[in-house]
Amino acid sequence: MTARRLETGGRIDRSRELTVKFDGKSLPAHPGDTLASALLAGGQQMVGRSFKYHRPRGVVAAGVEEPNALVHLRSGDRHEPNAQATMVEAFDGLTSTPQNVWPSLQFDVGAVNGLLSRFLGAGFYYKTFIGPFSGTKYWMFCERFIRRAAGMGRAPTLPDPDHYEKINAFCDVLIVGAGPAGISAALAAGRKGDNVFLVEQDRDLGGSLLSEPLGAPSDAWLAQARAELDGLPNVRVLTRTTAFGAYDCEVFGLLERVQDHVLAPEEGKPRQRYWVVRAKRAVLATGAIERPMVFAGNDVPGVMLTSAVRSYLNRYAVLAGERIVISTNNDSAYPAAIEFAKAGARVTICDLRAEAPTQFVDSAKKAGIDLRPGHAVLKVSGGKGVKAAHVVRIGPGGKIKGNATRIACDLVTGSGGWAPALHLWSQRFGKPQFNEELDAFLPPAEKGTFSCVGSLIGSPSLRDTLSQGHEAGGAVGKEPALFGHADHWGRNLVPLTVIAKVNGRTPGKAFVDFQHDVKLADIDQAHLEGYISVEHLKRYTTSGMAADQGKTSNLNALARMAELRGLPIPSVGTTTFRPPYTPVTIGAVVGHDHGLNFRPTRLTTIHGWHQDNGAVMIETGAWLRPWYYPAKREDINDAYIREAAHVREHVGIVDVSTLGKIAVQGPDAAEFLNRIYVNGFKTLPIGRLRYGIMLREDGFVFDDGATTRLGDHDYFMTTTTANAANVLARAEYLLQTAWRNLNVHVTSVSDQWCAIAIAGPKSRALLTALTGAELSNEALPNNHFANVTIAGVSCRLHRMSFSGELAYELYIPAKRGRQIWEALMAAGEPFNLKPYGLEAMGALRIEKGHITGSEIEGRTTLKDLGLEGFASSKKPFIGSVLRKRPVLEDPARPSLVGLEIVGDTSTRAGSLLYALSAPTKGHGEGWVSSVTYSPALKKNIAMALLSRGPERHGETIQVVDFVGGQSWLAKVVSHHFFDPEGKRQNG
Amino acid sequence: MSHYSALSILGHGLTGNRYWSRAWRDPAPKPSYDVVIVGAGGHGLATAYYLAKEHGIRNVAVLEKGWLGGGNTGRNTTIVRSNYMIPGNSAFYDRSMRMWDNLSQDLNYNVMLSRRGYYYVFHSPGQAEGLRRRANVMLGNGIKAEFFDRAQIMKRLPFLDYSPTARFPIFGAFLQPRAGTARHDAVAWGYARGADKQGVDIIQQCEVTNYIWDNQKIVGVETTRGPIRAKKVVLAVAGHTSHLAAKAGLRLPIETHVLQAFVTEPLKPLVDNVIVYGGAHFYISQSDKGGLVLGGDLDGFNSYAQRGGLPIVEHTLQSAKALIPSISRLRLLRQWAGVMDMTMDGSPIIGKMPVEGLWLTGGWNYGGFKATPASGYCLAWTIAKGEPHPDSAAFTLERFERGYQIDEFGAGPYPKAQ
Amino acid sequence: MLRIPCPVCGLRDETEFSYGADATVRLPDMNEADPKVWHDYVFIRDNPRGPHKEYWHHVSGCRQWIVVHRDTLTHEIFGSALAREVAA
């Protein structure tokens, strides 16, 4: 092909030259070019190799429908695969390389596949590589090579250096597409005062008008319209923005390419912006995409869409060929052909129709065009570029007559009619209607809050397009006057795009889907094998499944299947389009929600102190909590054992602010608590607190915690950290739906209160010294609370124990958390106070036999956990009926026990339990839920659920960790290892 | 019927691929069958295949309102695994894994089973303990599982986020080495071809609108292609289970929810395994064509719509970048959705229904694909022998009344939490 | 993305809410002792393909439970009301 840049014309800025490279070669480019136009202007006809057969491929289109010209763009950490050259704006410093080639674009080893193509047809993989042997090894061996050969671009391996942002927006009307229809709609809606979004994927407004010759009447109209839109503050124009998805309730996803047209984003600017727009209504003016013709060799570089060649000529001043043969089935090729001829090309039009359209005949002839009505291109010859078109006479119904004539040429274009870009409409509403006259699927002009206008609904003329837009926009102000005479629709079309020999075959490979290398013969074979529904066809041949989502192939594949089945196209069906319309950058949708901002991190108000004092933190859900406070050279085991032992000997404090806290208030609060806890709460006096357990409605244990009665109608509930939100939501559900006669308010106060547990034999002395309050066992017995003042801050001191020690929980207004923690640390010095972390807290609670999330794991009952004694028999409670289902009453269920491990190594949580003499196979008789070394007992201990556990105290069992290849012997004991009488906590 | 092999490919290639025979017939419905299976997805077709192959019951029709394999079989993320922990599940999914191994040979159709390994990345000691219990149960039952610490997993999966800015630092990973992926369409097509070959009628574009009753017994179905009588009617209709069960007067422990899946543009090999992120509900693999296949959470509300919304797109892509930061510049090519029959414990229901004449395989949540061979095999056995197959015996409808919830995650009786 | 009309806060994104369950299912009376009644309440759903009354919780808003009338096939929302104001 001898494409070249013309001396004049085009919407490019010739005053500036850009450095643009492809495969190491410099291309002449100006601002306003795309990479594709620069490639053509630079004579780079071949731009890549095809997916399966590695055939040479060139630019086919000028827009989002481009199937072939996919490249690696930029380099280093901005490397990007599968960039569509037609959508990449030329910028200074642009580097691009071909993909799917080895060792080079010109000489590619994979091209050998082309020679084997007859064996690589539809369904090839399904029929072979099964292998003579059983198992899947043979396939997996072959798969390695197939995977390497497949794929397209190379993925980046470095983190993305660019920023992205997300914007939430609202509007009255979202207009998608800023061609004449969309602009006309935006003007009317804007004048009406609507809050308007006008979205255009191109960098400029105009749509098809940008492919009109420079200086055409449309230029003046566009400039005027743009000026009016700019003057309307209620109209927001978003260019370089694709509306990629239409979702329920008129929500749209948009991708704005803010800084993709430069080498690297400017400081402070995002590369792309993801918009979520909630519109009251939508006007779709998304236009139509030209259908290629299907003939032998229609994928040779230099075979293009007629409309694309016209865009390259008028918009970019690139004449894509000198000697052009056009194959058309409708009128739209004629104005284009005349322009090609005027630009200096020799043009032949093969019109599949018997007559050339009268209104164009004269001007075409005047332009020197060779008109061949009743002709079609049967075949293109050439390898890495078009050499000739083989043209035949064609009768009604597409039957070819006689022998082909060879016309030497360098460019062949196809005009197979137009396929409306109805993707957004289809995403939302499903199947469109088929219009036989236009041989296309069309959406209706109105559906729900959607209006469709222009070429999208097959508007017959610019006049209609402008009025449709005007009406859809709200018909305010003067309807745009007609300018020019551009037709946006292929009129007088004969529904024929496949040119084959009389036997139905093409003299060479004819492609339906370029990107996935699906040949006409593959469609035929799929038909032969019964893959005849449109979805089977698509999946079996992979037609329409490539990155272009079949924008140029769907209709041709469907038409062929319809022809083979002898059915009209709508009886064969169409596929439903799925978002996104064009591929969307993952990073853009992620926005700022990555790295540490992937999810919010919750910190207690004491967090700073933990950090300052060397705590190793651990994630627990959204929270960061102190895991342990290592002294010099301590590992986690040294640290937690020291911390736990210290608590039992002296006194320790731990930050328990993450507990859920709920204020339960109102005259019926006691009744409410009585229903949601298994144990009774009606008799709880003011000033006391009680441990309570909740079940799910299906009878399994849900959560536990303590609830304190602060006043007549005022209770303070704590929940586990993990279930804080769930307990509150559940309480609200019950109170607002079934129990709305109960006068109770529940309010989360988790964030209002900081909580510190103070545990150890010296805790009373420390707190007495600090608060000056009377805290004797008589004044403040276990499970009571007192109001105290520390450093001028009013706090509530709950006497309760999770560690089994004499212990308290101090509830502090959240903002004062660190201040009080520090006051405690200061006052605690004489008592040898030390902080302890989650790991030591775990060790202490295991010694004491208290359960946590490891045991309340969603499948355990009160009985399983040895807590049945808590269940009141005097009242119903949530879960009280279903917890008695027969399987849950089975005495053989695994139930909670303690294990003392024989030997001096610790077992592992998640190990399985087997009877001493039983083979270690199968699910076992239970499992280990929690393990620790017990500094108090100087033993490795564990909590476990063991079948008939409580009956088996004293038995020795096997504990097996298959994963680590280890097993232990353990003695089954009560899980109340330490101070089972509770002397310490009650003393 | 062409037998498929490299040789047949060669032969047909040399004759211009003009003589391939149909993969399955397009028969008109007969007035009656021994068994009518509603739903030509993987489960329905597999059931028909094994009825014919294992039990000689060939007078069988599979009715499909659309096109075969067009529901969840053709929409899922193709993962095949058996990392289960609850007694009722282990043997069943292990059977399925063993059947997958020779499925291509059995069907003479390459289902492209790729045992590329299934990693579950964990981010806390607590998560590791839960997975260790699961792995121990698997190993105790003869199913391979491995554990890796952070240093080991860095070597195996170097492209994950090990940086200090990872929100959920990686502690290690669990691996089921024999798990992997298979080609979803091939499973439906292979079973369809195999069943058809044995005389099963697969009738597409045939929607069941009601049942034919004889007293209290179901004796056939009314369809858009006329009444079809049957001694036994089997429902294998995934998300539409409740809808068709309701017509038989049954209410089930099932809600229908939408699950989305996503694929990126095709790339040269990047992710060689299935990887599950423990920081959020997210998993990723790479298809043989090169697209990264991503999955995440349910949309979270009852839906039969087969399309999903933006919140899950955001959630899934955020998780993708959190796990693999370099994914950021890649592009999402397509999102789609299937409607899932989510049960109250996340496990399926297989067997005879309380209505005479009616059988069901349903409630597959989002784990139906990997179960396809065993589900078809066990249900065919159940239908033929009139008693549950031991491996699927736990999946009864009555289990909720008895208190035997087969709850792999302990998430409670909430379908959207499974 | 659904846009859900909250009777208190107005039209809001689905992401502010959390889905509850079928709103026609009623919690049994606490004195109900028949396991079948509780079983049906906890486990059994009509799961209609079409109009559906369902609970949503405006967790990131007013924290009210609301009953939304929505079509499960088309996602069309017909209306909503506060759960506490819907006739039991």
Side-chain angles (χ1 to χ4, degrees):
Chain A
M1 182 165 61
T2 41
R4 61 186 168 89
R5 179 90 71 186
L6 302 177
E7 295 299 317
T8 57
R11 294 175 166 80
I12 49 171
D13 175 5
R14 290 174 194 264
S15 68
R16 280 177 56 208
E17 303 227 331
L18 304 173
T19 310
V20 170
K21 283 190 174 172
F22 173 74
D23 206 9
K25 177 182 162 187
S26 287
L27 303 171
H30 303 286
D33 264 320
T34 62
L35 174 56
S37 67
L39 284 163
L40 288 170
Q44 184 68 41
Q45 190 161 21
M46 187 177 152
V47 296
R49 291 271 178 175
S50 72
F51 185 70
K52 193 166 163 186
Y53 304 124
H54 289 242
R55 287 168 67 93
R57 290 284 165 84
V59 175
V60 166
V64 293
E65 69 273 29
E66 173 59 42
N68 285 343
L70 304 184
V71 299
H72 285 146
L73 187 65
R74 297 189 178 89
S75 60
D77 56 4
R78 290 197 165 87
H79 166 83
E80 180 188 334
N82 304 330
Q84 268 180 312
T86 52
M87 296 305 287
V88 173
E89 291 179 39
F91 54 81
D92 208 28
L94 186 156
T95 52
S96 57
T97 50
Q99 43 184 47
N100 207 29
V101 295
W102 188 83
S104 76
L105 181 58
Q106 289 299 321
F107 177 77
D108 177 72
V109 166
V112 69
N113 287 355
L115 303 176
L116 301 173
S117 67
R118 63 168 64 180
F119 308 116
L120 302 177
F124 161 71
Y125 295 108
Y126 299 122
K127 293 173 185 160
T128 185
F129 301 123
I130 297 168
F133 330 106
S134 62
T136 194
K137 276 191 180 151
Y138 177 64
W139 160 248
M140 286 183 66
F141 172 77
C142 302
E143 188 191 29
R144 278 164 48 203
F145 300 97
I146 292 166
R147 281 169 77 81
R148 265 180 244 165
M152 287 168 50
R154 196 179 66 250
T157 52
L158 299 168
D160 188 348
D162 292 336
H163 295 281
Y164 302 86
E165 63 186 30
K166 174 183 174 182
I167 292 194
N168 286 298
F170 299 80
C171 67
D172 294 322
V173 52
L174 175 77
I175 300 167
V176 184
I183 291 174
S184 178
L187 288 169
R191 291 171 194 149
K192 194 177 152 199
D194 278 350
N195 176 4
V196 178
F197 269 56
L198 176 62
V199 175
E200 171 53 53
Q201 67 192 359
D202 202 282
R203 66 169 188 272
D204 292 320
L205 302 188
S208 60
L209 302 180
L210 296 173
S211 297
E212 294 290 309
L214 192 65
S218 52
D219 284 355
W221 182 76
L222 265 181
Q224 193 191 342
R226 178 80 216 221
E228 185 178 348
L229 290 173
D230 286 346
L232 291 165
N234 51 323
V235 176
R236 184 194 285 266
V237 176
L238 288 171
T239 53
R240 295 187 172 110
T241 304
T242 305
F244 64 79
Y247 298 92
D248 289 320
C249 302
E250 276 58 274
V251 174
F252 292 82
L254 273 48
L255 185 75
E256 182 184 3
R257 289 169 296 277
V258 183
Q259 291 276 291
D260 253 0
H261 56 291
V262 289
L263 183 58
E266 287 169 36
E267 184 70 30
K269 284 198 177 168
R271 175 183 173 220
Q272 297 178 348
R273 189 176 282 135
Y274 161 57
W275 293 76
V276 179
V277 179
R278 296 130 186 102
K280 289 194 181 128
R281 62 191 191 93
V283 177
L284 302 186
T286 45
I289 291 167
E290 193 164 37
R291 274 170 76 177
M293 301 294 283
V294 182
F295 47 76
N298 65 336
D299 69 324
V300 173
V303 179
M304 299 175 70
L305 295 171
T306 308
S307 59
V309 174
R310 183 166 185 254
S311 292
Y312 288 113
L313 173 64
N314 291 331
R315 189 167 180 190
Y316 305 103
V318 175
L319 184 58
E322 299 282 353
R323 180 69 185 90
I324 305 174
V325 175
I326 298 174
S327 190
T328 184
N329 65 5
N330 68 83
D331 287 358
S332 66
Y334 284 81
I338 292 164
E339 287 168 9
F340 302 163
K342 283 183 179 164
R346 282 177 58 209
V347 181
T348 298
I349 298 182
C350 297
D351 194 326
L352 275 64
R353 301 169 298 181
E355 304 283 336
T358 43
Q359 80 264 37
F360 292 114
V361 169
D362 285 347
S363 42
K365 282 187 175 161
K366 215 166 107 189
I369 293 173
D370 170 23
L371 286 183
R372 301 196 184 188
H375 277 77
V377 174
L378 175 67
K379 178 184 170 180
V380 161
S381 50
K384 291 174 183 173
V386 169
K387 290 205 170 87
H390 301 258
V391 170
V392 283
R393 281 177 54 77
I394 191 164
K399 281 237 167 68
I400 65 166
K401 296 175 180 170
N403 292 328
T405 317
R406 185 177 189 277
I407 302 175
C409 60
D410 58 0
L411 181 68
V412 175
T413 76
S415 305
W418 297 82
L422 46 79
H423 304 69
L424 288 177
W425 188 90
S426 171
Q427 287 170 19
R428 186 73 171 72
F429 298 112
K431 307 264 184 234
Q433 289 290 313
F434 191 75
N435 180 308
E436 297 211 358
E437 192 192 337
L438 302 170
D439 199 34
F441 284 98
L442 302 182
E446 299 285 336
K447 172 137 183 154
T449 57
F450 280 58
S451 309
C452 296
V453 293
S455 304
L456 174 62
I457 54 167
S459 164
S461 70
L462 180 60
R463 167 80 275 149
D464 293 277
T465 295
L466 292 168
S467 349
Q468 287 164 4
H470 185 68
E471 288 296 319
V476 173
K478 236 178 93 195
E479 189 177 308
L482 184 65
F483 51 86
H485 58 274
D487 280 329
H488 296 279
W489 197 264
R491 291 210 273 168
N492 307 316
L493 172 144
V494 294
L496 184 62
T497 50
V498 174
I499 309 304
K501 293 191 291 190
V502 181
N503 66 2
R505 306 214 141 205
T506 52
K509 293 188 187 76
F511 286 84
V512 173
D513 186 308
F514 298 113
Q515 196 170 112
H516 261 171
D517 267 356
V518 180
K519 309 184 302 294
L520 199 64
D522 295 321
I523 312 281
D524 296 1
Q525 191 190 328
H527 172 253
L528 203 59
E529 296 190 77
Y531 298 88
I532 54 175
S533 89
V534 61
E535 286 291 340
H536 286 161
L537 168 68
K538 184 174 137 180
R539 289 154 179 266
Y540 193 61
T541 64
T542 75
S543 175
M545 305 283 278
D548 60 356
Q549 287 210 48
K551 290 189 176 67
T552 54
S553 65
N554 281 339
L555 262 175
N556 282 341
L558 197 56
R560 178 64 168 189
M561 183 56 79
E563 184 194 340
L564 293 168
R565 291 181 65 185
L567 292 171
I569 286 180
S571 309
V572 180
T574 179
T575 58
T576 311
F577 292 100
R578 305 290 177 199
Y581 172 58
T582 52
V584 170
T585 309
I586 289 173
V589 175
V590 173
H592 289 121
D593 296 339
H594 63 93
L596 285 173
N597 297 322
F598 167 57
R599 290 290 177 264
T601 306
R602 299 187 72 180
L603 305 175
T604 76
T605 54
I606 311 171
H607 180 76
W609 190 93
H610 304 317
Q611 274 196 314
D612 294 347
N613 289 275
V616 175
M617 306 301 286
I618 181 91
E619 317 270 343
T620 56
W623 292 98
L624 267 187
R625 303 182 65 181
W627 195 2
Y628 56 98
Y629 299 84
K632 267 182 206 156
R633 283 196 292 275
E634 269 185 349
D635 68 8
I636 178 169
N637 291 318
D638 301 336
Y640 91 78
I641 291 169
R642 173 185 50 74
E643 288 171 11
H646 187 91
V647 170
R648 297 244 183 260
E649 194 180 344
H650 304 282
V651 58
I653 57 173
V654 60
D655 181 356
V656 292
S657 303
T658 62
L659 289 173
K661 304 164 207 91
I662 301 171
V664 182
Q665 293 160 315
D668 296 319
E671 171 64 22
F672 172 71
L673 294 169
N674 221 37
R675 292 184 190 183
I676 61 169
Y677 278 127
V678 305
N679 38 344
F681 270 79
K682 277 202 162 167
T683 55
L684 183 71
I686 295 171
R688 292 194 60 167
L689 55 98
R690 181 169 291 163
Y691 171 75
I693 304 164
M694 294 178 199
L695 305 188
R696 293 193 315 236
E697 285 148 336
D698 62 351
F700 290 88
V701 177
F702 172 33
D703 200 56
D704 66 347
T707 288
T708 308
R709 188 167 186 188
L710 303 177
D712 264 345
H713 299 160
D714 190 3
Y715 292 80
F716 178 84
M717 173 190 284
T718 61
T719 73
T720 62
T721 302
N723 275 325
N726 295 338
V727 170
L728 181 70
R730 204 68 202 154
E732 287 168 329
Y733 169 77
L734 291 167
L735 289 167
Q736 293 177 32
T737 62
W739 299 344
R740 43 186 126 152
N741 57 333
L742 293 187
N743 279 318
V744 181
H745 259 295
V746 286
T747 313
S748 170
V749 292
S750 295
D751 293 344
Q752 280 69 27
W753 294 97
C754 168
I756 300 169
I758 303 107
K762 297 179 189 166
S763 57
R764 180 183 286 134
L766 159 62
L767 287 164
T768 305
L770 181 64
T771 64
E774 165 60 44
L775 299 175
S776 68
N777 205 22
E778 294 67 37
L780 188 65
N782 200 14
N783 293 327
H784 285 66
F785 84 89
N787 292 307
V788 296
T789 303
I790 301 172
V793 180
S794 296
C795 307
R796 233 175 29 236
L797 188 65
H798 297 211
R799 182 165 166 205
M800 56 183 294
S801 179
F802 189 52
S803 56
E805 287 304 313
L806 173 66
Y808 302 83
E809 278 178 12
L810 189 60
Y811 287 86
I812 308 143
K815 278 187 186 168
R816 306 290 196 156
R818 181 166 182 170
Q819 179 193 346
I820 300 301
W821 177 279
E822 284 174 348
L824 275 162
M825 288 305 297
E829 214 164 314
F831 304 95
N832 200 6
L833 175 70
K834 297 274 190 223
Y836 64 101
L838 221 49
E839 196 68 18
M841 191 165 88
L844 293 165
R845 70 96 190 168
I846 295 169
E847 287 180 335
K848 183 63 188 167
H850 282 312
I851 54 169
T852 63
S854 300
E855 288 77 30
I856 307 178
E857 45 84 274
R859 286 163 291 216
T860 46
T861 64
L862 283 178
K863 211 170 171 174
D864 299 342
L865 298 177
L867 299 170
E868 209 174 22
F870 280 89
S872 166
S873 56
K874 298 193 190 102
K875 55 144 196 177
F877 49 88
I878 290 289
S880 59
V881 175
L882 292 187
R883 80 184 182 95
K884 298 275 192 189
R885 286 178 290 166
V887 167
L888 306 184
E889 294 280 89
D890 182 354
R893 281 178 71 84
S895 309
L896 193 63
V897 293
L899 298 178
E900 286 180 5
I901 313 301
V902 177
D904 38 355
T905 55
S906 172
T907 180
R908 306 200 65 146
S911 298
L912 303 186
L913 308 179
Y914 297 88
L916 191 56
S917 53
T920 54
K921 258 172 48 186
H923 284 72
E925 291 196 72
W927 53 282
V928 175
S929 58
S930 304
V931 303
T932 190
Y933 173 76
S934 164
L937 279 72
K938 308 260 184 300
K939 279 179 189 159
N940 285 295
I941 58 169
M943 287 167 85
L945 283 107
L946 175 66
S947 177
R948 300 181 192 273
E951 300 166 23
R952 296 169 72 171
H953 288 180
E955 187 181 327
T956 298
I957 57 163
Q958 305 179 76
V959 179
V960 183
D961 176 39
F962 294 106
V963 170
Q966 282 179 290
S967 64
W968 302 263
L969 294 178
K971 194 171 125 195
V972 179
V973 296
S974 161
H975 55 283
H976 302 295
F977 297 94
F978 181 74
D979 185 25
E981 299 82 25
K983 283 185 192 145
R984 294 169 80 99
Q985 69 186 28
N986 294 319
Chain B
M1 176 73 58
S2 315
H3 182 82
Y4 295 156
S5 66
L7 211 62
S8 75
I9 292 273
L10 199 67
H12 282 284
L14 292 171
T15 52
N17 291 316
R18 263 171 289 185
Y19 303 104
W20 287 106
S21 53
R22 288 187 67 116
W24 48 78
R25 295 163 298 130
D26 189 12
K30 292 191 280 187
S32 80
Y33 291 91
D34 290 340
V35 180
V36 159
I37 297 168
V38 187
H43 290 260
L45 293 166
T47 304
Y49 175 79
Y50 293 113
L51 273 174
K53 182 178 176 233
E54 301 288 330
H55 307 286
I57 301 174
R58 297 194 166 86
N59 186 23
V60 175
V62 186
L63 310 183
E64 171 55 50
K65 74 172 175 179
W67 36 282
L68 70 88
N72 295 342
T73 304
R75 291 165 189 271
N76 70 85
T77 49
T78 79
I79 296 167
V80 171
R81 60 181 169 88
S82 62
N83 56 337
Y84 285 79
M85 185 170 90
I86 305 293
N89 280 334
S90 299
F92 176 81
Y93 287 103
D94 187 38
R95 165 178 289 281
S96 213
M97 283 302 276
R98 284 185 278 114
M99 290 180 72
W100 275 110
D101 231 354
N102 290 316
L103 195 57
S104 295
Q105 288 87 348
D106 187 15
L107 297 176
N108 179 233
Y109 206 99
N110 188 0
V111 300
M112 305 183 200
L113 176 70
S114 178
R115 295 187 180 280
R116 52 181 71 171
Y118 171 99
Y119 286 96
Y120 194 115
V121 178
F122 54 80
H123 307 267
S124 72
Q127 233 177 5
E129 287 171 5
L131 286 167
R132 183 173 284 267
R133 178 179 166 198
R134 182 169 297 272
N136 276 326
V137 169
M138 289 167 68
L139 289 163
N141 286 283
I143 302 163
K144 269 191 199 164
E146 293 173 58
F147 252 58
F148 301 102
D149 64 19
R150 182 180 164 94
Q152 290 169 315
I153 209 68
M154 273 175 95
K155 279 195 195 128
R156 287 177 165 249
L157 304 172
F159 46 85
L160 307 187
D161 191 356
Y162 302 97
S163 75
T165 56
R167 173 67 182 83
F168 298 108
I170 293 170
F171 275 57
F174 152 93
L175 168 70
Q176 184 183 7
R178 288 173 60 73
T181 60
R183 172 75 197 150
H184 55 5
D185 289 331
V187 175
W189 298 342
Y191 273 120
R193 177 167 166 270
D196 177 89
K197 202 172 179 175
Q198 298 178 84
V200 170
D201 282 356
I202 301 166
I203 302 159
Q204 302 182 70
Q205 309 295 328
C206 178
E207 182 171 4
V208 170
T209 53
N210 219 324
Y211 300 97
I212 303 170
W213 296 84
D214 182 1
N215 286 323
Q216 302 294 302
K217 188 172 187 289
I218 288 176
V219 293
V221 289
E222 301 283 356
T223 79
T224 49
R225 295 177 70 172
I228 302 173
R229 297 184 77 87
K231 292 181 189 143
K232 293 168 181 176
V233 172
V234 183
L235 297 184
V237 294
H240 300 281
T241 300
S242 296
H243 181 74
L244 281 176
K247 291 183 191 290
L250 283 177
R251 297 172 77 229
L252 300 174
I254 287 178
E255 283 182 9
T256 296
H257 283 253
V258 161
L259 180 67
Q260 299 195 51
F262 309 86
V263 67
T264 68
E265 293 177 334
L267 304 155
K268 292 293 174 194
L270 173 72
V271 178
D272 289 334
N273 320 91
V274 180
I275 307 175
V276 181
Y277 181 42
H281 195 161
F282 171 75
Y283 48 94
I284 183 168
S285 65
Q286 186 169 16
S287 77
D288 286 339
K289 231 163 67 186
L292 297 173
V293 180
L294 321 176
D297 258 330
L298 294 173
D299 273 39
F301 49 86
N302 287 32
S303 172
Y304 286 82
Q306 283 195 339
R307 62 191 154 84
L310 276 174
I312 293 298
V313 181
E314 293 175 14
H315 179 275
T316 305
L317 299 188
Q318 285 163 7
S319 304
K321 188 167 173 178
L323 182 65
I324 305 175
S326 64
I327 214 168
S328 178
R329 295 182 84 85
L330 300 181
R331 281 180 292 256
L332 177 72
L333 177 59
R334 188 161 51 239
Q335 70 179 114
W336 68 94
V339 294
M340 310 288 140
D341 35 343
M342 304 297 296
T343 58
M344 294 290 169
D345 62 357
S347 294
I349 298 161
I350 299 183
K352 201 166 175 336
M353 289 294 101
V355 176
E356 197 59 31
L358 188 67
W359 276 256
L360 169 71
T361 175
W364 286 102
N365 293 271
Y366 33 59
F369 180 68
K370 62 179 160 314
T372 306
S375 160
Y377 183 88
C378 292
L379 182 58
W381 165 297
T382 305
I383 292 165
K385 307 218 169 190
E387 61 186 62
H389 187 280
D391 287 349
S392 64
F395 302 139
T396 66
L397 180 58
E398 298 77 31
R399 67 177 184 266
F400 299 97
E401 281 173 35
R402 294 192 299 117
Y404 187 68
Q405 283 151 256
I406 309 174
D407 186 349
E408 280 286 329
F409 304 102
Y414 316 110
K416 69 166 185 170
Q418 301 306 331
Chain C
M1 180 165 64
L2 302 181
R3 298 266 294 150
I4 297 173
C6 172
V8 179
C9 310
L11 197 60
R12 297 300 181 95
D13 283 357
E14 163 199 333
T15 46
E16 291 185 14
F17 298 83
S18 114
Y19 180 73
D22 185 334
T24 61
V25 177
R26 292 269 170 268
L27 184 78
D29 184 274
M30 287 304 285
N31 291 310
E32 176 62 64
D34 182 356
K36 182 81 176 74
V37 175
W38 282 97
H39 165 271
D40 286 1
Y41 162 70
V42 172
F43 298 111
I44 302 298
R45 299 289 178 265
D46 284 335
N47 190 25
R49 188 164 86 188
H52 188 228
K53 286 195 170 149
E54 59 200 21
Y55 285 124
W56 288 80
H57 189 199
H58 199 183
V59 275
S60 302
C62 60
R63 295 209 60 98
Q64 295 301 296
W65 282 87
I66 64 175
V67 176
V68 176
H69 193 202
R70 184 181 63 94
D71 191 306
T72 59
L73 193 56
T74 64
H75 292 177
E76 188 183 351
I77 292 173
F78 308 110
S80 69
L82 284 176
R84 55 171 86 242
E85 287 172 2
V86 171

